[in-house]
Amino acid sequence: MKPRYRLLPYLLLLPALVMELLIHIVPMAVGIIMSFKQLTQFFIRDWTAAPWTALNNYRIAVDFSAPIGQSLLNSFWVTCSFTLFAVAFSWLLGVAAAIFMQEPFWGRGVLRAVFLVPYALPVYAAVITWSFMFQRDTGLLNHVLHDQLHLVAEKPFWLIGDNSFIALVVVSVWKTWPFAFLTVMAGLQNVPRELYEAAAMDGATVWQQIREITMPALRPVNQVLVLVLFLWTFNDFNTPYILFGKSAPEAADLISIHIYQSSFVTWNFGSGSAMSVLLLLFLLVVTGIYLVVTARWRDADA
Amino acid sequence: MRTHRIAVAATLVVAFTAACSRSSDPGNKSTAGESSSKPAPKTLTYWASNQGTSLDNDKQILEPELKKFEQQTGIAIHLEVVPWSDLLNRILAATASGQGPDVLNIGNTWSASLQSTGAFLPFDDATMEKIGGKDRFMAAPLAATGAEGKPPTAVPLYSMAYGLYYNKKLFQQAGIANPPATWDELVADGKKLTANGKYGLAIEGGNVSENVHHAFALAKQHGADFFDASGKPTFDSPGAVAAIKQYVDFIAQDKIAAPGNAEYAANQSVTDFASGKAAMLMWQVAGVKLTTHGMSPDDIGVAPIPIQAGASGSKATATMVAGINIAVFKNTKNLDGALQFVKFMTSKEESIALNKTYGSISPLKEAQDDPAFNTPELKTISGVLATRAAPLPQVPNESQFETLVGTAVKNLLAAAAAGKPTTTESVKAELVKAQQQMPAS
C-alpha cells in the first residue's frame, strides 16, 4: 500500500475525531482535572490558577464519618433504591402494556398514542403539574385520598419529609414507562405469530406463552432497555429539581441534585467534580458488570 | 500503529487544551489604557434581573428608559432580562468564560461572594466619583455591596426590606387595635386570629432564601451572628439556635402558622395572605404583589417586623437589607460607557421612576422625600431600612451559608409540620450538621 493511501482513512476520520474530542473527551478531561483542584469562586475566573489539592476533594467526599461524606453516602443509597423501584415499575408497566397491546382490538391505536403522552410532554410542564397535585393542602392527590376516599386520617405531606421518596418514584415511573412500552412494543414485532399459534395448539396458557415465547424473544431488547433505564434514572436531574427545587428533602436527595448542590449552589466546583468522577466510575463499573453478566447468560442460552 | 493513533489523539488533546487556556486567559493583560485606544463600541449589553410581574413586563418598563440613555449618549443598550432561577448560574458562567454582559444586576446578598471572584469592577473612590459619589446612597444598602474594608463590587439599584403585613379587616374582626410590636404580642395576636381554618401568620417554609433571611434577622435580635469577626461560621451559637427555634415554633409550638406552610416555595404564603387565609405575612415590599392578587389596598397594613420586648441597638434589627445592586463586568470593552450607564440608572430621576414602578425603594438619600415613597407602606419600609436594617454576612461563603442554614430551617419546619417535637437540641443538631458542611477555608 502506498503511504498516501495509508493516510487517507485518518484524514477522513479526522473531522469526526475532532468533534468527538470537542464534545465528549475534552469536557470529561477538564472535569477530571477540575476534581483535583480547589476550584471555588476565588478561582473560577482563571481556573488554571486554582491550587492543586491532589486527592483532597475525593478524600472529603468519601470520608463517611464526616458530614459531607455521610450526606453523599445517604444520597447514594437513596439514589440506588430510587433507581431500583423506578426502573422495576417502569419496566413492568411497559412490558405489561406492550403485551396487552399486541392483540388488535378496537381503539388500540388511540390507546397506544395516549400511552405515549407522558413521554411526549415537555418534562418541566409535566413535573410542575405533578408538584401541584402533590401539594398538601390544595393538591389533587390529598383531595382524593383524604376528602373523597377517607383513606387517611390526616393529610400527608408529599413534597417534604419521607413521603417525598414515593412522590419521586411515582413521577419518575410515570415519565419513563412509555419508553419501556415503546421499546418492548417494537421488540414484539419480531416475534413470529406462528409460535403463539403453535403453543396455543399444544395447550399452553397465556402465562406460559409469555414466559416461554415472549420473554426469551425479548431478551436482547430487555438487556439494552434495562441498562438505558438504569442510567437515565440514576442520573435523572430534571424530575427532582423541578419537584423539590435546589434543596431536596433528605429522603429524596438524589445524587445528581446532591452534586449540583455541592458545586453550583455552594460554588465549590472542585468538590462537585470529584463527586461526579466517583459517580462516573460507579456507573462504569455497574455497566461493565451488567454487560458481562448478561452476555454470559446469553452465551449460556445459546 | 496503535501507539501512533494514541499519540495523535494525545497531541490533539494537549494542543486543544493549550489553545483553550490561552484564549480563556482573563483580560489581566489588556489594561484599560489599551482598550480605550480603540474606539469604544457603541452598544452595551445589560442583564436585568426579573423585578416585574414577568420578563416581558420588565422589558416594557425598562426599554423606554434605555432609549432615553441612547438619546443622551448615543450608546445603545442591548437588554436581556434574566429570570432569578438562571441569574446566578449565568453570572458564574460569564465569570468562568470571561464572556459576559457589560453591566448587570446582582442580588445584593451575593455581593461578597461575587466580589471574591474578581470578575467585577471595584467601585473605588475614583470610580464612585464618576457616577456621582458614594455619599448619594443610604448607608444600609451601601453596606450590602461587598466585604467591609474593600471597595464595593456593585452599587445599590433597587432597595427593599422586610415588613410585617397585616390584614386590617381580620385584625378588626378579632378585636385587635394595633399591629404587634413584639414577638409576644405577635404570638398572642396570632392565636386570636387562628380559627376556623384561618391562621395568624403565613410563612414560606420551603423557600430556602426566605428561611435564611428570617433566621438572620432573628439571630441578630438574639445577639448572634452566623460568622465571627474572622469570617469563621458560628451557626450553632445559642443565640442562633434560639432564633431558629423561635421561627420553627410558629408551626411547632405556637401553631399560629398552618403546617402546610412548611412546603410553600412558590409564594403561596403571599396568596394565602392576599386571600385572607392568613392574617399576617413577613415579606419584602409586598404591596404591589398583594394588590395584583386582588387584595383591597384598604385592608393592607404594614408595620416593622416585631422585636423582643425592650430591645435596642442591633438587637432591634428588624430586617436584612434586601435589594438589587448594579455591577460592571471587568471585561467590558467600554468601561466609560458602562459607568455612564450606571450613573444614568442611579440618577435621581431614573431611580425614582424605576423604583416607583417596581414598588421598591430608591437607595438614594435625595430621593427619600419623593412622594412616590411616601405611601404608608413604603414609609414604614424605608424607615426600618434607614435605621434598623443589617446586611446579610458579607463573606465569600455567603452562598453556602444561605443554602445550608436555609435548608436546615426547611428540614426543621418539615419535621415540625409532620408533628415531630422541636427542641433546642433538635435545632442545634441540625445547625451543627449545616456548619460541618461548610468548606474549611
Side-chain angles (χ1 to χ4, degrees):
Chain A
M1 216 198 269
K2 289 176 199 167
R4 211 153 43 105
Y5 289 109
R6 283 178 56 182
L7 214 59
L8 186 65
Y10 291 101
L11 280 175
L12 288 175
L13 275 176
L14 195 66
L17 183 67
V18 169
M19 290 322 272
E20 173 66 18
L21 278 175
L22 277 178
I23 295 167
H24 273 131
I25 311 291
V26 170
M28 245 158 76
V30 170
I32 293 172
I33 295 171
M34 267 163 62
S35 69
F36 294 106
K37 288 196 159 223
Q38 190 195 330
L39 190 60
T40 56
Q41 76 257 35
F42 298 99
F43 303 106
I44 54 167
R45 202 160 159 246
D46 176 14
W47 66 272
T48 47
W52 293 98
T53 61
L55 289 173
N56 213 11
N57 287 327
Y58 290 93
R59 215 169 291 144
I60 293 174
V62 297
D63 179 3
F64 299 132
S65 58
I68 294 179
Q70 254 171 23
S71 60
L72 182 69
L73 191 65
N74 168 59
S75 164
F76 176 74
W77 291 128
V78 167
T79 313
C80 286
S81 44
F82 162 71
T83 309
L84 189 74
F85 284 111
V87 170
F89 286 128
S90 299
W91 181 83
L92 216 61
L93 264 177
V95 171
I99 292 175
F100 175 61
M101 291 279 153
Q102 216 180 354
E103 299 297 321
F105 58 87
W106 190 83
R108 182 172 74 153
V110 179
L111 212 53
R112 269 183 183 171
V114 169
F115 278 6
L116 290 178
V117 164
Y119 191 54
L121 272 181
V123 181
Y124 191 88
V127 179
I128 205 88
T129 311
W130 274 103
S131 84
F132 289 142
M133 292 199 283
F134 280 128
Q135 279 181 7
R136 175 181 183 262
D137 294 336
T138 52
L140 179 79
L141 185 66
N142 276 353
H143 182 66
V144 172
L145 288 181
H146 179 267
D147 301 343
Q148 296 189 320
L149 301 178
H150 304 288
L151 288 177
V152 283
E154 194 153 325
K155 288 183 177 178
F157 283 99
W158 296 101
L159 295 173
I160 53 176
D162 293 342
N163 286 343
S164 51
F165 182 81
I166 302 173
L168 193 60
V169 171
V170 168
V171 178
S172 177
V173 168
W174 178 85
K175 192 165 73 81
T176 336
W177 81 267
F179 178 75
F181 167 65
L182 198 65
T183 313
V184 173
M185 199 167 69
L188 286 177
Q189 308 304 313
N190 292 331
V191 187
R193 314 283 315 155
E194 298 83 41
L195 282 180
Y196 291 106
E197 282 159 22
M201 291 283 197
D202 293 341
T205 62
V206 174
W207 198 235
Q208 279 171 328
Q209 287 178 22
I210 290 175
R211 227 178 44 210
E212 303 297 333
I213 303 175
T214 316
M215 282 303 144
L218 280 179
R219 187 163 282 168
V221 173
N222 276 335
Q223 187 200 8
V224 179
L225 176 64
V226 170
L227 183 66
V228 169
L229 286 181
F230 164 73
L231 290 174
W232 280 356
T233 312
F234 202 92
N235 269 328
D236 191 9
F237 179 82
N238 292 331
T239 314
Y241 185 72
I242 303 169
L243 217 46
F244 307 117
K246 270 183 269 188
S247 66
E250 242 164 81
D253 187 19
L254 291 195
I255 201 113
S256 53
I257 286 279
H258 193 86
I259 292 176
Y260 173 77
Q261 216 196 43
S262 11
S263 65
F264 268 90
V265 180
T266 58
W267 305 27
N268 194 341
F269 302 92
S271 160
S273 300
M275 293 180 187
S276 305
V277 172
L278 290 175
L279 179 65
L280 178 76
L281 290 177
F282 171 75
L283 290 179
L284 273 180
V285 169
V286 171
T287 309
I289 294 174
Y290 177 82
L291 288 179
V292 169
V293 169
T294 48
R296 286 245 176 88
W297 283 348
R298 230 190 312 174
D299 291 347
D301 270 4
Chain B
M1 221 27 224
R2 202 185 171 90
T3 46
H4 176 70
R5 223 182 297 166
I6 292 169
V8 168
T11 325
L12 269 171
V13 172
V14 171
F16 180 76
T17 40
C20 266
S21 58
R22 222 172 294 144
S23 65
S24 69
D25 194 319
N28 295 337
K29 279 171 232 152
S30 64
T31 55
E34 232 176 72
S35 61
S36 64
S37 64
K38 290 174 215 152
K42 280 291 179 191
T43 55
L44 289 172
T45 305
Y46 177 47
W47 284 0
S49 53
N50 173 210
Q51 303 301 121
T53 48
S54 67
L55 302 187
D56 274 336
N57 176 250
D58 274 304
K59 274 191 192 145
Q60 283 163 12
I61 291 169
L62 289 171
E63 240 138 32
E65 309 299 323
L66 302 182
K67 277 276 172 299
K68 276 191 221 163
F69 179 70
E70 191 178 345
Q71 278 163 9
Q72 287 172 16
T73 59
I75 301 174
I77 304 285
H78 173 73
L79 169 72
E80 191 181 342
V81 184
V82 185
W84 279 107
S85 50
D86 291 348
L87 189 57
L88 192 57
N89 284 352
R90 293 276 300 269
I91 294 175
L92 289 179
T95 305
S97 65
Q99 310 286 313
D102 299 284
V103 181
L104 71 164
N105 289 2
I106 63 173
N108 71 356
T109 60
W110 308 336
S111 294
S113 295
L114 288 175
Q115 185 174 40
S116 61
T117 66
F120 297 102
L121 180 78
F123 280 83
D124 52 20
D125 290 344
T127 313
M128 273 291 190
E129 276 319 307
K130 286 188 196 160
I131 62 158
K134 72 170 162 197
D135 296 335
R136 295 163 58 224
F137 298 100
M138 286 162 68
L142 199 60
T145 55
E148 231 180 300
K150 281 190 192 165
T153 201
V155 292
L157 183 64
Y158 314 124
S159 287
M160 286 169 248
Y162 277 88
L164 176 72
Y165 288 79
Y166 62 98
N167 187 324
K168 286 181 179 168
K169 209 200 276 170
L170 294 179
F171 265 59
Q172 208 179 8
Q173 283 167 9
I176 307 167
N178 294 310
T182 67
W183 290 113
D184 290 341
E185 288 171 20
L186 181 133
V187 171
D189 291 348
K191 283 180 178 162
K192 275 186 217 163
L193 292 156
T194 302
N196 309 325
K198 287 182 181 175
Y199 281 86
L201 181 69
I203 59 175
E204 194 79 10
N207 184 324
V208 170
S209 302
E210 287 293 323
N211 287 342
V212 93
H213 295 165
H214 294 299
F216 168 76
L218 279 167
K220 279 270 175 204
Q221 295 188 4
H222 284 269
D225 275 304
F226 285 99
F227 290 89
D228 65 13
S230 65
K232 282 214 183 76
T234 52
F235 294 176
D236 56 349
S237 68
V241 172
I244 288 170
K245 178 159 190 300
Q246 189 188 342
Y247 190 65
V248 177
D249 272 344
F250 291 145
I251 287 182
Q253 195 189 324
D254 311 326
K255 302 193 191 303
I256 57 171
N261 286 191
E263 67 174 15
Y264 283 5
N267 294 350
Q268 292 101 321
S269 61
V270 178
T271 323
D272 278 5
F273 177 75
S275 64
K277 270 196 217 165
M280 289 182 278
L281 172 74
M282 300 186 282
W283 207 260
Q284 310 173 19
V285 291
V288 175
K289 275 197 199 86
L290 294 171
T291 42
T292 49
H293 279 302
M295 192 169 179
S296 154
D298 298 335
D299 292 343
I300 305 174
V302 189
I305 300 280
I307 50 177
Q308 318 288 351
S312 64
S314 79
K315 290 195 173 180
T317 301
T319 176
M320 50 91 73
V321 179
I324 311 302
N325 292 344
I326 186 165
V328 174
F329 209 59
K330 224 188 223 168
N331 284 4
T332 176
K333 297 212 169 54
N334 186 356
L335 187 64
D336 287 334
L339 285 175
Q340 269 179 303
F341 182 58
V342 173
K343 187 177 180 181
F344 170 80
M345 289 297 279
T346 55
S347 68
K348 184 178 174 188
E349 192 191 336
E350 287 307 310
S351 185
I352 292 174
L354 286 173
N355 279 292
K356 187 181 167 185
T357 315
Y358 285 134
S360 49
I361 294 166
S362 164
L364 300 177
K365 285 179 190 161
E366 53 186 334
Q368 298 307 308
D369 298 331
D370 192 89
F373 310 115
N374 266 337
T375 63
E377 180 199 5
L378 293 185
K379 244 179 155 168
T380 309
I381 302 274
S382 69
V384 287
L385 189 64
T387 55
R388 290 172 53 198
L392 281 188
Q394 295 291 311
V395 293
N397 286 337
E398 198 278 334
S399 172
Q400 286 94 323
F401 153 70
E402 268 199 39
T403 311
L404 292 169
V405 174
T407 305
V409 178
K410 179 180 169 177
N411 292 345
L412 286 164
L413 286 169
K420 291 176 196 147
T422 304
T423 61
T424 304
E425 288 72 38
S426 71
V427 174
K428 182 163 174 141
E430 197 65 46
L431 285 172
V432 167
K433 202 171 82 186
Q435 175 163 338
Q436 284 170 335
Q437 292 184 56
M438 283 296 277
S441 53

